[in-house]
Amino acid sequence: MRIRGIGLLVILCVMMPLSGCWDAEELNQRAVVSGISIDRGPGNNNYEVSFQVIIADEISGKIGRGGIPTTVYSAEGRSIIEAIRKASIQVPRLMSTAHVRIVVISEELAREGISDILDFLDRDSDIRLTAKVFVAKKGIRALDVIAGLSPMGKITAYTLAQKAEISSREFGANYPVEVDDLIRDVLVPNSGPVINGVDIEGSVEEVRNKSNLEATDNLGLLVMSNLAVFKGDQMKGWLNEQESKGFVWLRNLLQNTSIVITPGDQGVITLDVHRGKTSIQAILKDREDPVFIVKVMSQLSVREMDGTVDLRDPAALNEMEKDVNEEIVKNIKAAVQKAQSLNSDIICFGRTLELQHPKVWKQLKSQWSEIFPKVAVEYQVDSIIRNSQMRDRSFKYNLKKE
């Protein structure tokens, strides 16, 4: 008993100096940051860093006063962390970045290089690697994005993060890009990250006004844009809508998208892709000139018809599937050609070659920046139309028959 008592006393003595809350701050002493934007400071080489801060009183249903739910603070610094520290002269609370959902980078900075920004995001212990990253298109500042207001969501940063998810799931020309994705992709030789663009439809000034929340037709609206292509840490260009869709196909990230075809003179038919799978194979017809075969399998359903195609006819369905195959090849081919023109292997052909033929990759690795723009690509697409929703033939088919 005496030994047990002595042991318990020792444990208590060891635990006394320990504290699990030594650096705790009360919530009313923190400014919760939901989004960060990074621009080049006006007329100098400093960073201008802006923070979208949540006004807790305005997002509470009980004590909200009907004001704007977020506010924005900006500060300049030679580094990002210096700018954050400088913000303390404006904000009466400790800046808390643990709940940051988005990081927006201006196109100007993206073209200069984002290695310093990635180092900060990777090193900071508060900012999560799951925060989504965007590039503000030329003509608007990153600050304009996080200062914008959205009627469908009190906190704009959270709304924009949701737009990335929804656009990926419904439209198929984007996919969510997180900090962790950028760090991995920037390390791939002769390649680089691909980041979602964000733009403002309408007035840049009006998107920041409270009246934008009170009008049924938004005078300014934050919208998802196409994908920004990087090589290393520097942005090289933009993909257009067709190229963006093709890139999503190539990376096997497609969830849903629509394909519009016009079979002959039989009107316009719109199909939904509800399942797609892409694989890439490297063939060594010549050890110094590999050929890449892109194989796509997709399943679709007919969603809209402005024509008189007989969907009960297997021959008609086969012709439609051929048209779908051609449309998918157009998108994928456009993405490949754009990547080759920018000489950035965002499709990861080099990684495919390394995995499938490691010995050959060792020989070609140092020359890949010269080989990739000229590499040959073959496309094999196999599409199957599974159903036509609630009806097969359009009512227009019966009108034509009469």
Side-chain angles (χ1 to χ4, degrees):
M1 290 294 294
R2 183 181 296 178
I3 295 175
R4 184 178 297 176
I6 293 173
L8 182 60
L9 182 62
V10 171
I11 292 173
L12 290 173
C13 291
V14 172
M15 291 178 62
M16 283 179 65
L18 300 178
S19 173
C21 302
W22 64 272
D23 64 343
E25 293 283 348
E26 295 295 333
L27 186 60
N28 60 7
Q29 295 176 343
R30 288 182 176 270
V32 179
V33 179
S34 54
I36 297 176
S37 70
I38 308 173
D39 292 282
R40 178 62 71 198
N44 58 46
N45 291 323
N46 288 351
Y47 291 106
E48 182 182 19
V49 185
S50 303
F51 313 90
Q52 184 185 86
V53 177
I54 298 172
I55 303 174
D57 289 349
E58 295 303 333
I59 62 173
S60 171
K62 293 182 178 180
I63 59 176
R65 295 166 295 183
I68 295 174
T70 57
T71 188
V72 175
Y73 296 96
S74 300
E76 282 190 47
R78 290 167 296 178
S79 65
I80 299 172
I81 194 65
E82 183 181 50
I84 292 176
R85 299 289 182 245
K86 275 189 176 182
S88 64
I89 65 176
Q90 306 174 36
V91 187
R93 298 182 182 182
L94 180 67
M95 300 285 272
S96 174
T97 56
H99 296 279
V100 167
R101 289 288 298 277
I102 66 168
V103 178
V104 185
I105 304 168
S106 68
E107 183 174 340
E108 178 187 8
L109 266 181
R111 290 188 179 275
E112 292 177 12
I114 61 172
S115 57
D116 291 347
I117 297 172
L118 288 181
D119 179 80
F120 161 72
L121 295 174
D122 185 32
R123 194 178 299 275
D124 192 277
S125 60
D126 286 337
I127 297 177
R128 302 177 186 181
L129 295 180
T130 55
K132 292 177 174 56
V133 184
F134 300 86
V135 173
K137 295 206 74 170
K138 189 175 182 180
I140 63 172
R141 295 183 298 166
L143 167 60
D144 295 326
V145 174
I146 68 162
L149 298 172
S150 174
M152 292 190 67
K154 292 184 177 181
I155 303 171
T156 307
Y158 293 1
T159 303
L160 190 56
Q162 290 170 352
K163 286 181 181 180
E165 298 279 357
I166 295 297
S167 176
S168 170
R169 198 161 65 229
E170 295 295 321
F171 187 52
N174 304 85
Y175 66 97
V177 180
E178 300 176 348
V179 174
D180 199 31
D181 299 321
L182 300 190
I183 295 169
R184 283 198 305 267
D185 291 345
V186 80
L187 296 174
V188 179
N190 301 303
S191 181
V194 175
I195 305 179
N196 287 309
V198 61
D199 203 353
I200 295 176
E201 284 186 357
S203 169
V204 176
E205 291 75 23
E206 289 294 337
V207 78
R208 304 171 67 163
N209 291 337
K210 184 182 177 183
S211 59
N212 199 47
L213 302 177
E214 300 169 342
T216 54
D217 53 339
N218 304 115
L219 300 176
L221 184 64
L222 294 171
V223 296
M224 296 293 299
S225 186
N226 298 316
L227 298 172
V229 176
F230 286 68
K231 184 173 184 179
D233 73 323
Q234 290 185 314
M235 178 180 165
K236 296 300 181 181
W238 291 96
L239 302 181
N240 61 28
E241 183 179 305
Q242 182 186 44
E243 294 159 353
S244 295
K245 283 190 173 184
F247 175 76
V248 174
W249 273 107
L250 284 163
R251 292 296 293 267
N252 198 29
L253 295 168
L254 187 77
Q255 297 185 59
N256 285 294
T257 191
S258 295
I259 294 180
V260 180
I261 59 174
T262 53
D265 58 348
Q266 301 186 67
V268 177
I269 300 176
T270 305
L271 304 99
D272 265 359
V273 179
H274 53 81
R275 184 172 297 175
K277 182 179 180 181
T278 304
S279 61
I280 301 176
Q281 184 179 4
I283 303 297
L284 299 178
K285 297 179 180 179
D286 181 340
R287 292 180 67 85
E288 295 185 359
D289 190 18
V291 176
F292 292 89
I293 300 177
V294 178
K295 297 181 179 180
V296 177
M297 297 181 66
S298 67
Q299 296 182 18
L300 307 95
S301 62
V302 178
R303 295 304 304 268
E304 186 177 346
M305 287 185 62
D306 180 25
T308 57
V309 176
D310 185 0
L311 296 182
R312 297 180 186 178
D313 183 2
L317 289 176
N318 288 337
E319 290 301 315
M320 288 172 58
E321 289 168 353
K322 290 179 182 178
D323 291 337
V324 169
N325 292 342
E326 291 176 4
E327 191 66 26
I328 293 174
V329 168
K330 283 181 186 177
N331 292 345
I332 295 175
K333 193 173 183 178
V336 171
Q337 290 175 344
K338 187 59 169 287
Q340 289 180 316
S341 69
L342 297 174
N343 196 8
S344 177
D345 186 11
I346 55 175
I347 309 160
C348 295
F349 281 162
R351 185 184 295 175
T352 301
L353 185 62
E354 181 181 13
L355 292 173
Q356 297 179 6
H357 306 281
K359 292 183 180 179
V360 174
W361 173 248
K362 285 182 180 179
Q363 298 174 359
L364 301 181
K365 181 178 179 180
S366 60
Q367 312 165 46
W368 192 243
S369 59
E370 290 81 33
I371 295 173
F372 172 70
K374 300 177 290 185
V375 74
V377 184
E378 297 178 4
Y379 306 94
Q380 298 177 6
V381 181
D382 183 17
S383 299
I384 300 174
I385 299 174
R386 288 295 187 192
N387 63 71
S388 57
Q389 299 296 310
M390 298 297 291
R391 83 163 33 241
D392 43 30
R393 294 168 176 166
S394 168
F395 67 90
K396 293 185 178 182
Y397 176 85
N398 294 327
L399 292 175
K400 178 184 177 182
K401 191 174 181 181
E402 292 177 1

